[in-house]
Amino acid sequence: MRVRIRYEKGDEQRFLGHLEVRRALVMALARAGWPVAMTKGYTPRPKVEMVAPLPVGTAGLNEVADVYLSESRSLEDLGRSLGEAMPPGFKLKEVWRISPDESTLETRITASTYRVLVYGAEDAPLKRALECFLGKDEAKFHREAREQARETRESHDTREKNRQIDLKLFVRRIEVVTSAPPALRIVLRHFEGRTVRPAWVLEFLVKHCGLEGVDPRESVVDREWLDWGDGGSHGS
Amino acid sequence: MKRKASVRQLREHDEEIVSWKELRRHLNKVTKPARYTGGELNAVRKDPSSVSVRFALVFPDVYEVGMSHLGSQIIYHVLNSRDDTACERAYSPWPDMEELSRARGWPLFTLESRSPLNSFDIIGFSLAYELTYTNVLAALDLGGLPLFSTERDERDPLVIAGGPVSMAAEPLAEFIDAFALGDGEDLAGEIVDCYKKWRASRRPRLELLESLAGIEGVYVPSLYDVKHSDEGLLVEVRPKAGAPGRVRRRIFSDLEKAPYPERPVVPFLEPVHDRAMVEIFRGCTRGCRFCQAGTLYRPVRERKPETVSRIARKILAASGYDEVSLVSLSSADYLPIREVIEDVLTRSPCPARVSLPSLRVDSFSVELSKLLGGGLTLAPEAGSQRMRDVINKNVTEEDVMDAAKAAFSWGFTRIKLYFMIGLPGETDQDVLAIADLAYRIRQLGRDMGTKPTIAVSVSGFVPKSHTAFQWEPFVGRDEIERRQSLLAKHLRGPGLEFRYHDSRQTYLEAILSRGDRRLGRVVYHAYRRGARFDSWPDMLDLDLWLSCMKEASLEPGFYTRERGQDEILPWDHLDPGVTKGFLLLERARARRAEKTPDCREAPCPGCGVCPRFGVAPVLAGRDGTSKGAGDRAR
Ligand code: SF4
């Protein structure tokens, strides 16, 4: 049985990395008594697939993971037991059954919608920076090698090639939604599991669009929802 | 004066000093920010206004290390079980966080309520190893407290410390108001009660310290005048104001009745020991002569097998861990170990593995390892039979080879072996015997048709207080390195791996662990000059420490030298129960390479704990009775 869960990685747990979130979910599943299937191989691991993992610092209001079970259970029981077992700062929002042979969701995600609190800027200069960004044909962004090396297992060559990304390809929408401090809503595309981070967009605004007084590391980022191909948009 | 005002104000309003909004905005600048955000499963958050005593339990190392420490989880549970007390946790900030905190004006705060340390009533440090001393000072300083005990007044928190290191922590004597010696299950609460009574009395701080000194197991260093001779030798430790001449370590006599954290705090960040822990017994009576824990936790006190299984099930259900560690100083000594393991494996609420942190060198232990899965680690501690007899490690050559044989026949191909070098009376031959043993085990494996890997791991011996070797010299850093390279030369070849401990750390530990009060100045200056996390090889700056010693006109050699048997040792006024006479006897036996039996099996060799402190070994794991060798001791 394959079950998809939608859950919240809350504000106060935003600083967990995706391995920690996975560990927290796996332990919650154990407390809930779900008969989670194990992977084959020398060191079997619970079959839990995290979808579009969030980086350290980002909260997620509607995150998704797939869990494989070794026995069938009623969705009602599953939802109730896991709901009670979620750790502080996490909330279970929905549990539904999907076909075991459905292809992995990771590569079918089409977009993430973020809300980004921007400290240090007034509304007007932020809006001007956005106009500047939107007016550009391309927005080449260099990821720091150190950062990427830590997060990916790609070979050095691929890493070099991938270091330059055109943010414009990824940004579907970007707008100022509230003020003092201003917040942005940014919709970022995913291509076959690849996407960019709101903090990189902010960094570009600082470096190339004249946005002053903003340290992108100080932005507070929440992912509000994920969209995927078959009309399955979750999180409204 | 400003600081004081803010403390008082805080007590009145119970404000959070570091707001979540502020923290959230800046924490992305440090590594692993989740070290500082708490909110874990089973963490206890009490409304500060609903309790009368607020206790901050500080583990002076990084979060992932501190969260693996069973003793702190026990104290956290014990204190939070009291309605009148809220116990919160804090850990040492990594240097990037310390820098950010100083830049933003954040004090060191607890995870539960983000309150600064100086807003608490009592600060309790958990001292598990000596190389955390500078982190203790950093925590006090960042927490907004005066560093020196004498600088604190009625409005400052009481600063206490517990854990095994407290039994010989003279270098911290000027910074800690009181040390809690031995088991904390009862003692922690007694200290809280004493504090409450004193606060209600509105008497001067000195009276708090004096009444604390009246509790058995509490050592108040400022109530002892310490005199040194011109050569630096300790000539007198004189108690004042009715403080006892010797402070006895506390012993919680029956673990069956001990409170246990069945709902442990489960960290989100993977701790260094990522598993549930059930303490199956406390104390070890094997009597290894180098081992401080062997003295400090006597006598042996076992939990009943059904209790162990029940606690294991409860912890698993409350945590979701997939592994339980059956913790003790020598878990294979627990007679019903096999039934407990089977019980946990078959009756757990969710599938879980079992691990044992400390195994013996014999075929039974190897069989257990096989049953449990995972790797195999054996600790013969010394290579030659003579040295093993010197240290009273009751392991024969035959035991080692039997264990190895069992290992290969059970399908292990990789065996990790732990040894020490620099032991008293060790010769190069003894050192090379380590390599020899590794060869023979490798050969045995090959003869048995496997392709074995023997991973040898070696640490340098540090003479510790309260052991039979407390008078022995530390062989020296150069000598440790020479013996390391001697071994390295011989431990080359296919199927052999060799790892050794950083000799700089061994050296600093050798200085601090038998240190006196005068070393406090050195710890202070090392802290001021930036020493932190000295137990982390990449962080230790030994030159800094050595130059601080020089400035204080103290010689490292004074601390690493052989101590005279009639010398007053800096920890002599702290009584572990084991008598000095017994330690001396053990030292003499070590010199003759004579063994002393384990009081679990053999008649009591008379270490002194049981008759002196009115306790007895509890072998509850045996035939369901709770009687043991202790009767013989009386
Ligand atoms: S007094 Fe005897 S029985 Fe008690 S711990 Fe010491 S050696 Fe063992």
Side-chain angles (χ1 to χ4, degrees):
Chain A
M1 179 176 183
R2 181 174 170 191
V3 174
R4 184 158 291 164
I5 62 172
R6 184 163 63 83
Y7 65 95
E8 176 179 311
K9 173 196 178 191
D11 179 34
E12 59 276 44
Q13 298 306 351
R14 65 175 58 249
F15 291 106
L16 301 180
H18 84 272
L19 289 177
E20 282 115 36
V21 173
R22 183 179 197 284
R23 181 173 171 276
L25 287 181
V26 165
M27 290 178 86
L29 290 165
R31 291 193 297 274
W34 283 31
V36 180
M38 301 297 279
T39 59
K40 297 197 179 62
Y42 189 67
T43 43
R45 280 160 37 108
K47 263 192 109 172
V48 176
E49 284 174 8
M50 309 290 288
V51 176
L54 287 175
V56 171
T58 305
L61 304 183
N62 293 286
E63 296 301 299
V64 180
D66 283 1
V67 183
Y68 293 78
L69 302 184
S70 55
E71 304 159 21
S72 259
R73 290 282 165 91
S74 84
L75 282 177
E76 201 192 331
D77 282 355
L78 291 173
R80 188 185 31 78
S81 60
L82 185 58
E84 287 166 7
M86 289 299 264
F90 285 82
K91 244 182 254 147
L92 182 66
K93 295 194 158 174
E94 197 180 354
V95 178
W96 69 105
R97 193 178 177 131
I98 54 166
S99 154
D101 28 62
E102 194 184 301
S103 68
T104 169
L105 191 54
E106 181 74 28
T107 49
R108 288 162 42 218
I109 300 282
T110 53
S112 289
T113 301
Y114 294 94
R115 187 171 187 278
V116 183
L117 217 55
V118 184
Y119 285 103
E122 304 287 328
D123 292 12
L126 185 59
K127 280 187 179 142
R128 276 199 300 278
L130 288 194
E131 274 161 31
C132 152
F133 179 81
L134 293 170
K136 285 189 188 292
D137 292 334
E138 55 170 31
K140 292 274 197 227
F141 177 77
H142 297 264
R143 288 184 64 179
E144 258 187 52
R146 181 179 48 84
E147 183 185 11
Q148 190 160 355
R150 209 170 48 211
E151 289 158 15
T152 68
R153 295 212 188 116
E154 295 165 46
S155 75
H156 188 68
D157 292 351
T158 348
R159 214 155 62 210
E160 283 303 308
K161 249 188 286 164
N162 282 352
R163 266 173 67 182
Q164 215 181 51
I165 302 166
D166 183 1
L167 295 175
K168 288 286 290 194
L169 294 178
F170 288 92
V171 177
R172 185 195 279 169
R173 208 162 50 136
I174 184 164
E175 62 192 349
V176 178
V177 284
T178 59
S179 49
L184 294 174
R185 174 154 297 126
I186 310 182
V187 182
L188 295 173
R189 294 189 182 92
H190 290 234
F191 297 110
E192 296 285 321
R194 286 188 63 204
T195 185
V196 294
R197 294 183 185 178
W200 303 350
V201 176
L202 218 52
E203 203 174 318
F204 189 90
L205 296 180
V206 170
K207 282 190 182 150
H208 306 289
C209 299
L211 182 62
E212 282 173 6
V214 173
D215 180 346
R217 293 175 304 171
E218 290 181 10
S219 52
V220 176
V221 184
D222 293 345
R223 177 153 71 190
E224 293 178 317
W225 60 79
L226 283 163
D227 290 320
W228 61 87
D230 53 7
S233 162
H234 284 275
S236 35
Chain B
M1 244 22 237
K2 205 163 160 244
R3 180 185 59 79
K4 298 273 159 59
S6 72
V7 172
R8 214 167 7 178
Q9 204 179 7
L10 215 112
R11 289 230 174 105
E12 278 160 19
H13 303 294
D14 296 318
E15 293 169 345
E16 288 182 353
I17 279 264
V18 183
S19 74
W20 173 240
K21 211 174 132 200
E22 162 84 0
L23 208 57
R24 184 174 80 161
R25 175 171 169 182
H26 296 282
L27 270 188
N28 261 328
K29 298 168 186 170
V30 301
T31 48
K32 299 202 185 184
R35 284 169 173 164
Y36 315 104
T37 54
E40 307 95 328
L41 181 73
N42 301 332
V44 181
R45 286 185 74 161
K46 294 187 182 179
D47 173 4
S49 64
S50 73
V51 294
S52 63
V53 175
R54 299 182 70 212
F55 192 114
L57 187 61
V58 186
F59 193 91
D61 205 328
V62 79
Y63 176 83
E64 301 93 293
V65 175
M67 281 307 292
S68 299
H69 188 247
L70 178 59
S72 315
Q73 290 258 15
I74 292 177
I75 298 301
Y76 185 73
H77 168 71
V78 164
L79 289 172
N80 276 321
S81 303
R82 292 174 64 114
D83 288 338
D84 64 351
T85 306
C87 177
E88 308 193 359
R89 295 158 302 139
Y91 301 87
S92 292
W94 197 248
D96 59 355
M97 179 63 171
E98 182 180 335
E99 199 185 315
L100 180 66
S101 301
R102 290 191 193 275
R104 305 279 332 151
W106 301 341
L108 177 60
F109 55 86
T110 55
L111 298 183
E112 281 78 359
S113 65
R114 286 194 293 278
S115 311
L117 288 195
N118 65 7
S119 69
F120 283 81
D121 299 302
I122 306 177
I123 314 288
F125 285 98
S126 180
L127 299 177
Y129 29 94
E130 292 87 357
L131 298 191
T132 54
Y133 286 171
T134 52
N135 282 11
V136 170
L137 268 56
L140 290 172
D141 203 8
L142 290 164
L145 276 90
L147 285 183
F148 289 93
S149 183
T150 48
E151 291 172 357
R152 294 179 204 129
D153 70 18
E154 285 67 27
R155 282 171 299 194
D156 289 306
L158 170 71
V159 178
I160 63 176
V165 170
S166 306
M167 284 296 293
E170 283 300 283
L172 287 189
E174 289 180 90
F175 311 104
I176 301 292
D177 300 326
F179 290 99
L181 311 182
D183 296 335
E185 276 92 348
D186 284 336
L187 189 50
E190 290 169 24
I191 292 174
V192 170
D193 288 336
C194 182
Y195 175 86
K196 276 174 72 176
K197 224 166 136 190
W198 165 77
R199 194 179 49 190
S201 76
R202 299 176 163 272
R203 307 289 302 166
R205 190 175 175 92
L206 181 63
E207 287 190 22
L208 168 63
L209 299 181
E210 285 171 2
S211 46
L212 282 169
I215 302 176
E216 186 170 297
V218 178
Y219 165 48
V220 179
S222 57
L223 297 184
Y224 293 77
D225 277 334
V226 168
K227 241 195 246 149
H228 292 266
S229 71
D230 292 344
E231 299 82 59
L233 295 174
L234 202 51
V235 287
E236 195 183 13
V237 177
R238 192 168 11 137
K240 298 186 284 198
R246 292 189 83 198
V247 185
R248 286 183 164 205
R249 159 177 76 98
R250 283 296 284 272
I251 299 176
F252 194 93
S253 57
D254 185 1
L255 287 204
E256 282 292 312
K257 299 199 183 96
Y260 199 82
E262 290 170 347
R263 304 182 60 82
V265 180
V266 182
F268 284 109
L269 275 187
E270 197 179 307
V272 289
H273 301 305
D274 189 15
R275 51 191 84 102
M277 287 179 278
V278 184
E279 184 187 30
I280 54 178
F281 63 85
R282 198 172 290 175
C284 174
T285 41
R286 305 204 127 235
C288 296
R289 293 179 179 126
F290 58 84
C291 177
Q292 192 186 43
T295 300
L296 296 188
Y297 295 97
R298 278 182 186 229
V300 84
R301 287 149 290 158
E302 295 182 339
R303 282 198 163 84
K304 288 187 183 150
E306 9 358 321
T307 313
V308 172
S309 304
R310 194 198 63 227
I311 294 177
R313 280 197 297 276
K314 284 199 173 164
I315 296 187
L316 287 170
S319 66
Y321 278 115
D322 61 358
E323 184 174 334
V324 185
S325 185
L326 301 177
V327 183
S328 75
L329 291 166
S330 178
S331 294
D333 286 353
Y334 187 65
L335 223 57
I337 189 75
R338 195 192 282 268
E339 67 185 79
V340 168
I341 291 172
E342 267 156 26
D343 194 84
V344 174
L345 290 177
T346 52
R347 289 177 58 210
S348 296
C350 38
R353 291 178 312 244
V354 174
S355 60
L356 304 175
S358 46
L359 282 171
R360 300 185 308 222
V361 184
D362 57 20
S363 51
F364 175 66
S365 297
V366 173
E367 206 184 317
L368 284 180
S369 296
K370 187 64 206 170
L371 182 70
L372 304 177
L376 180 65
T377 303
L378 304 173
E381 309 287 5
S384 68
Q385 190 59 48
R386 188 185 74 87
M387 276 323 294
R388 284 197 297 270
D389 292 343
V390 167
I391 63 177
N392 202 40
K393 184 92 198 172
N394 269 308
V395 170
T396 62
E397 183 77 24
E398 212 185 327
D399 292 330
V400 180
M401 295 316 279
D402 272 0
K405 196 169 160 193
F408 294 125
S409 64
W410 283 104
F412 287 103
T413 54
R414 184 188 166 81
I415 302 181
K416 260 203 233 168
L417 298 174
Y418 277 18
F419 296 96
M420 273 184 296
I421 53 172
L423 287 161
E426 184 183 73
T427 63
D428 282 2
Q429 254 167 347
D430 295 314
V431 175
L432 289 174
I434 294 174
D436 230 45
L437 195 58
Y439 295 142
R440 265 176 294 145
I441 293 175
R442 182 180 63 172
Q443 193 54 46
L444 178 73
R446 288 177 175 168
D447 292 347
M448 290 175 71
T450 66
K451 201 169 170 279
T453 303
I454 314 300
V456 174
S457 187
V458 165
S459 60
F461 165 70
V462 172
K464 292 270 164 137
S465 58
H466 303 295
T467 67
F469 291 161
Q470 64 181 354
W471 297 275
E472 301 296 339
F474 169 66
V475 291
R477 187 181 158 207
D478 295 344
E479 187 54 27
I480 289 280
E481 284 177 2
R482 191 188 65 80
R483 295 182 198 187
Q484 281 170 348
S485 40
L486 183 67
L487 257 184
K489 241 182 269 159
H490 285 82
L491 274 170
R492 280 197 200 129
L496 293 175
E497 286 171 16
F498 180 47
R499 282 183 38 209
Y500 49 84
H501 203 78
D502 187 343
S503 66
R504 298 172 310 145
Q505 286 187 307
T506 309
Y507 184 42
L508 183 58
E509 194 185 319
I511 295 169
L512 291 179
S513 63
R514 290 189 300 168
D516 54 25
R517 227 171 249 205
R518 298 175 308 159
L519 275 181
R521 270 179 281 160
V522 177
V523 174
Y524 176 79
H525 287 295
Y527 161 67
R528 282 288 180 224
R529 288 170 55 180
R532 305 282 190 283
F533 292 94
D534 303 296
S535 65
W536 293 65
D538 295 349
M539 303 286 286
L540 172 64
D541 183 347
L542 184 63
D543 292 339
L544 181 152
W545 276 93
L546 294 179
S547 83
C548 290
M549 288 205 71
K550 209 169 190 169
E551 268 165 43
S553 305
L554 294 173
E555 269 295 314
F558 178 83
Y559 294 97
T560 56
R561 82 201 146 90
E562 178 174 349
R563 310 290 168 103
Q565 286 192 177
D566 45 10
E567 234 179 81
I568 300 173
L569 301 171
W571 52 90
D572 274 350
H573 54 299
L574 307 181
D575 185 358
V578 174
T579 61
K580 207 169 178 180
F582 180 76
L583 295 179
L584 280 167
L585 189 69
E586 282 295 287
R587 185 186 195 206
R589 286 185 181 136
R591 296 196 155 172
R592 298 193 298 268
E594 239 175 67
K595 294 188 280 188
T596 301
D598 182 343
C599 64
R600 240 178 218 273
E601 311 291 341
C604 158
C607 80
V609 170
C610 297
R612 294 189 57 233
F613 287 5
V615 289
V618 179
L619 301 176
R622 193 157 309 186
D623 310 319
T625 69
S626 57
K627 278 245 166 77
D631 295 341
R632 292 190 296 264
R634 295 187 181 214

